[in-house]
Amino acid sequence: MTTWRSALKAAASALIAALTLITAGAAHAETTITLYHYQTGSNYEAFRRLLNEFEQKNPDIRIKDIFSQSEQITADLQAALAAGRQVDVATVIGKNMIHFLNNTPAVPLNAEPAKAKFLDNYLPVFLDIGRVGTKVYAVPHAYGTPMVYYNKDLFRKAGLDPEQPPRTWDEVIQASLVIKQKTGVMGMGHLHAAMRDYGTMLMVTNAGGKYLSGDGRCALFDEPAGIAGVQLWQDLVVKYKVMPVAEDRQMQAAFNSGQLAMYITSSASLGGTVASTKGRFELGVANYPVFKEGMKRKTPNSGAALMMYSPAGPRRDASLRLLAYLSDRKIANRWSRESGYMPLSKNPLSDPDMAKYVSSFPLVQPVIAQMSDTVPTATWGEKGALEAQTIVSNLMDSLWANQGQALKLVPEAVARMNTAMGCAKR
Amino acid sequence: MQHSGLAGPNVLTVRRTVAPFVYLLPLLVLLGLFTYWPLLNTVWLSLMRWNLNPGVPLQFEGLANYQRLVDSVLFADAARNTAYYILASIPLKVLLPLPFAVGIWALGSSGRIYRVVLFLPTLVSFVVISVVFLWLLNPIGGLVTQLGAMLGLPPGNVLASPTGAFWTIMALSTWKLLGFNILLYLAGLSRINRDQILAMRLDGASDWQVVRHLVWPMLTPTTFFVLVTTSIFTIQQVFTPIDILTRGGPFNATTNLFYMVYQYTFRTFDVGLGAAGTVVILVLLLAITLAKLRFLDRHVHYEQ
């Protein structure tokens, strides 16, 4: 009986102790917010370091980061919102922005002006993607800009000056032909991204064309400049035979192993490419080629922005504090340095750490130089977006299979895209 | 006494009537919750316009989603490819494992190693297999490309050709499923009494006659099962290589209804259209299963 009582007393004491601990914890209540992202490898480590430091400075906030593949994050995020799971801050792919603005309960970041001063840290052009009237729903986070990565050893082997990388598309083609002739290695590759959408947009925009209307409902690249941009992409494969038809991952792997002389892909790949090519060959990075001599370079950004879904109260306050922290010039610059994404703050080189980094790491200098050439990425409207993107993908398949020239195939494709998207007025 | 004498048989009858349902209840609840409720909900959603956003009310669209589906850029190609995937899977995934299984079975216990080797691909993640093949088939220096060059074949990207891409996905999914179907056939073969084979041998039957008159008839239930499950499984099994290797291209040559439904539902959040596509898949699978039951079941030997 005594043993039984002792056991009961011990249990009661343990319960009281546990309740005391819980109550004490509640007195220093922690707010946990979730952050959906697609960072992997060294980028994730860099990102998590920033989040850890934020948590140290804000002990009342915990950040649960939730990973999803970049190609899957849109679906995962939408599913999480539909299932009513906790979503506070989310990485939204730029081209899906209109859909997320129209169809998800995103919270304007400047609803309370006093808590939105951090928005002033960004270049205004980078906020346009998430701006609806006076409200701002998104801040840039993982923006990339397309760069030419090239193999200096192959340039030397082909008798080209590796310190004079091609500046125009004509020079890219000439260099590729020489490299193919002298070394037998394929000249170049150009990223497509999902549904070949970003690659086509980039070609069209850099050629001076317009890809989509502002509301994302109309395709506009059946004008001469747009057709010229698409024709160039066909010519690289069909006419000059300097570019293989391959998936992005295949081209990146081929470049890293020295089997492709130049690869045009996002600046976000800088860190990974430097690590993968170290000890194999000397890496060079150059600006995206201008379409023709004398033309200005125009490169839509790739990547994603951060949106907020927290309900009013402690979670929203915590999310805003996190976004403000990430927008801080020193933090944003550090994120850029450690990830390879574009610097997003105003005048990044006025930060001594950033200036020192850029001077000590020449490969990043073209990325900084190209910031002024960046234009907002085109975003798709809601109706018929999948059909339209499928038509773009099939258009490029047709061009690369040499089933016709851009002058004939592009207007047909654009007409079908506009029918699918219900484009009433261009 | 009189009362209890009358009540006894009644209680027993009630018990006998109710008891089976009590035993079945857990299963019925699970079936209802995870099979029939989602099924009915999908049919209902196929009549609605919704974007998965819980804050947005559903709008009744009626059969308009089905009309949009038929008019869409993807549907005709996806439906045609689905039929191709199913048809191609019959010789490759249903019939091809049969000689392998018979061969391993004939070897007896020494055939175990082959069973393990052939079953291994079933255990490997399809994502991993697809990524590995993405490297092997890399047109710039991939192993297959290099071997082709050594044999004097022109360089090219097999995944850039509609035919090449389709058959690459078929080959991968066959390789992945072959071992599993072999195992099913081996299970079917284990039902065959080897004494019957000895008896046939004593009567002078050849190998072919044993297979034709004993093994094949005894395997018809298994073959029928493999045929139905493979047809159904193939539609969703090829999803992973489609997503990783081709994303439905080139020229929509590798997409199928399952992948199209995923794209509509989770890429553009057109839930009504995705649900309409799912209902089409349901009707298609139902039709295939019923047709097989109607035309093939009569040739199946269920008795030893």
Side-chain angles (χ1 to χ4, degrees):
Chain A
M1 196 65 181
T2 315
T3 315
W4 169 245
R5 277 184 182 165
S6 302
L8 204 64
K9 274 182 186 173
S13 306
L15 188 67
I16 289 164
L19 284 171
T20 310
L21 280 173
I22 291 167
T23 318
H28 299 91
E30 269 184 8
T31 302
T32 300
I33 56 172
T34 60
L35 193 161
Y36 281 71
H37 68 96
Y38 59 72
Q39 303 303 332
T40 56
S42 58
N43 279 8
Y44 172 70
E45 287 165 18
F47 192 42
R48 190 62 240 187
R49 273 197 299 275
L50 292 179
L51 299 180
N52 291 344
E53 286 172 22
F54 171 78
E55 286 178 342
Q56 280 168 9
K57 288 177 182 165
N58 299 272
D60 56 329
I61 299 174
R62 282 283 164 271
I63 300 162
K64 183 181 173 189
D65 70 85
I66 299 170
F67 168 75
S68 185
Q69 292 280 356
S70 61
E71 289 166 4
Q72 193 61 34
I73 194 163
T74 303
D76 287 350
L77 182 55
Q78 185 79 359
L81 289 167
R85 290 199 289 272
Q86 182 179 339
V87 179
D88 290 296
V89 179
T91 309
V92 173
I93 304 286
K95 72 174 187 176
N96 297 326
M97 189 58 72
I98 289 180
H99 172 85
F100 274 84
L101 288 173
N102 290 342
N103 293 298
T104 62
V107 179
L109 303 175
N110 55 350
E112 294 178 68
K115 294 178 182 173
K117 290 197 170 70
F118 69 90
L119 294 176
D120 297 337
N121 293 340
Y122 293 106
L123 285 169
V125 69
F126 288 155
L127 294 175
D128 287 346
I129 194 169
R131 201 190 299 273
V132 180
T134 57
K135 293 177 180 170
V136 174
Y137 287 87
V139 287
H141 170 60
Y143 277 17
T145 184
M147 310 302 300
V148 180
Y149 295 81
Y150 65 101
N151 183 327
K152 288 189 175 182
D153 292 355
L154 279 174
F155 268 60
R156 284 190 198 97
K157 209 171 162 186
L160 299 168
D161 182 357
E163 304 311 321
Q164 299 291 324
R167 293 175 306 105
T168 65
W169 271 112
D170 282 341
E171 290 178 8
V172 169
I173 292 164
Q174 289 311 312
S176 299
L177 289 170
V178 170
I179 290 166
K180 183 76 193 291
Q181 190 193 7
K182 298 275 178 67
T183 68
V185 172
M186 187 59 90
M188 59 146 303
H190 189 293
L191 87 161
H192 311 167
M195 306 297 281
R196 291 175 182 146
D197 171 38
Y198 179 74
T200 312
M201 182 207 309
L202 180 53
M203 283 287 186
V204 166
T205 310
N206 192 48
K210 199 154 177 15
Y211 190 59
L212 294 176
S213 58
D215 59 6
R217 288 182 183 169
C218 296
L220 304 173
F221 60 99
D222 53 352
E223 303 291 337
I227 290 172
V230 176
Q231 182 61 51
L232 170 65
W233 211 6
Q234 181 192 34
D235 288 346
L236 294 172
V237 175
V238 176
K239 186 177 173 185
Y240 302 111
K241 297 183 174 38
V242 293
M243 190 184 100
V245 179
E247 291 296 310
D248 292 341
R249 280 177 287 196
Q250 291 176 321
M251 288 190 279
Q252 180 77 63
F255 177 77
N256 290 351
S257 60
Q259 297 179 84
L260 190 64
M262 290 176 270
Y263 182 43
I264 294 172
T265 192
S266 168
S267 58
S269 300
L270 183 58
T273 309
V274 168
S276 301
T277 58
K278 198 173 180 181
R280 289 188 179 174
F281 58 82
E282 190 184 350
L283 177 69
V285 178
N287 288 119
Y288 189 78
V290 292
F291 188 68
K292 284 205 184 312
E293 191 68 68
M295 278 179 77
K296 187 171 164 27
R297 180 185 301 108
K298 280 170 90 174
T299 49
N301 68 277
S302 57
L306 295 176
M307 293 179 82
M308 185 175 73
Y309 290 91
S310 307
R315 275 172 52 201
R316 185 175 295 179
D317 288 342
S319 297
L320 284 168
R321 278 159 66 187
L322 172 65
L323 292 174
Y325 169 79
L326 292 174
S327 78
D328 178 84
R329 194 179 59 170
K330 277 196 165 298
I331 298 298
N333 284 343
R334 210 179 110 197
W335 170 231
S336 168
R337 287 199 298 276
E338 294 180 6
S339 66
Y341 289 117
M342 266 198 297
L344 299 164
S345 59
K346 289 175 183 167
N347 199 8
L349 294 181
S350 63
D351 172 3
D353 289 343
M354 192 68 180
K356 191 176 161 192
Y357 167 74
V358 170
S359 62
S360 67
F361 185 39
L363 291 179
V364 82
Q365 288 169 6
V367 180
I368 306 289
Q370 205 165 286
M371 278 179 70
S372 58
D373 301 326
T374 302
V375 295
T377 197
T379 52
W380 291 89
E382 285 184 71
K383 190 179 174 208
L386 178 63
E387 276 86 354
Q389 288 170 23
T390 305
I391 292 167
V392 171
S393 182
N394 289 346
L395 166 69
M396 293 318 303
D397 285 336
S398 301
L399 288 163
W400 289 333
N402 201 16
Q403 293 178 351
Q405 298 261 302
L407 188 61
K408 178 177 179 290
L409 298 184
V410 168
E412 289 171 8
V414 167
R416 282 190 293 131
M417 287 170 74
N418 287 337
T419 304
M421 294 191 292
C423 168
K425 191 180 173 187
R426 295 178 54 166
Chain B
M1 285 298 286
Q2 197 178 23
H3 176 76
S4 66
L6 282 172
N10 283 343
V11 171
L12 205 62
T13 309
V14 170
R15 273 186 185 166
R16 279 183 179 163
T17 313
V18 172
F21 291 101
V22 174
Y23 289 124
L24 282 173
L25 194 63
L27 181 67
L28 290 175
V29 168
L30 289 174
L31 266 178
L33 202 62
F34 294 110
T35 303
Y36 294 109
W37 163 241
L39 186 73
L40 293 173
N41 201 29
T42 302
V43 174
W44 180 67
L45 283 173
S46 75
L47 307 174
M48 300 290 162
R49 180 178 282 271
W50 190 43
N51 61 16
L52 266 181
N53 184 348
V56 173
L58 282 73
Q59 289 177 301
F60 185 74
E61 287 276 306
L63 296 174
N65 284 332
Y66 290 91
Q67 185 62 52
R68 284 201 298 137
L69 185 70
V70 171
D71 293 341
S72 83
V73 173
L74 287 166
F75 179 73
D77 291 335
R80 186 199 61 219
N81 294 342
T82 303
Y84 287 169
Y85 279 123
I86 292 172
L87 288 173
S89 71
I90 293 171
L92 290 173
K93 298 178 190 170
V94 179
L95 299 180
L96 186 64
L98 200 53
F100 281 98
V102 172
I104 292 170
W105 177 68
L107 286 171
S109 57
S110 57
R112 280 179 192 158
I113 182 68
Y114 300 107
R115 199 186 305 187
V116 170
V117 169
L118 287 166
F119 192 71
L120 272 178
T122 308
L123 300 175
V124 182
S125 152
F126 217 165
V127 174
V128 173
I129 288 177
S130 301
V131 171
V132 166
F133 272 81
L134 195 68
W135 304 143
L136 291 175
L137 297 170
N138 193 337
I140 324 159
L143 188 63
V144 172
T145 313
Q146 288 182 5
L147 288 173
M150 284 165 67
L151 295 170
L153 296 173
N157 184 358
V158 69
L159 296 176
S161 126
T163 313
F166 177 85
W167 286 107
T168 299
I169 287 173
M170 269 316 296
L172 272 183
S173 66
T174 300
W175 181 55
K176 183 92 170 71
L177 196 61
L178 190 77
F180 184 73
N181 282 353
I182 287 173
L183 215 62
L184 290 177
Y185 280 123
L186 284 169
L189 287 164
S190 69
R191 293 168 60 236
I192 298 173
N193 189 339
R194 288 183 188 257
D195 290 344
Q196 288 176 311
I197 300 172
L198 279 176
M200 285 183 77
R201 294 279 192 217
L202 286 173
D203 290 339
S206 64
D207 285 350
W208 168 245
Q209 283 172 319
V210 170
V211 170
R212 168 75 184 82
H213 297 292
L214 178 70
V215 175
W216 172 247
M218 295 299 288
L219 268 185
T220 48
T222 310
T223 309
F224 184 66
F225 175 76
V226 170
L227 181 66
V228 173
T229 53
T230 300
S231 304
I232 295 169
F233 187 53
T234 288
I235 298 180
Q236 55 126 333
Q237 190 217 12
V238 292
F239 175 90
T240 308
I242 291 174
D243 196 41
I244 291 175
L245 294 176
T246 65
R247 295 199 183 94
F251 300 107
N252 300 341
T254 56
T255 189
N256 72 355
L257 289 172
F258 200 82
Y259 191 68
M260 181 200 73
V261 164
Y262 162 76
Q263 286 184 303
Y264 277 128
T265 311
F266 292 106
R267 290 260 185 238
T268 57
F269 312 109
D270 196 335
V271 176
L273 209 53
T278 309
V279 172
V280 170
I281 294 175
L282 173 74
V283 171
L284 176 76
L285 293 179
L286 207 61
I288 291 171
T289 310
L290 288 175
K292 282 172 181 167
L293 281 172
R294 172 77 180 79
F295 298 112
L296 295 179
D297 198 37
R298 69 182 68 167
H299 302 294
V300 175
H301 299 262
Y302 287 107
E303 299 297 323
Q304 275 271 14

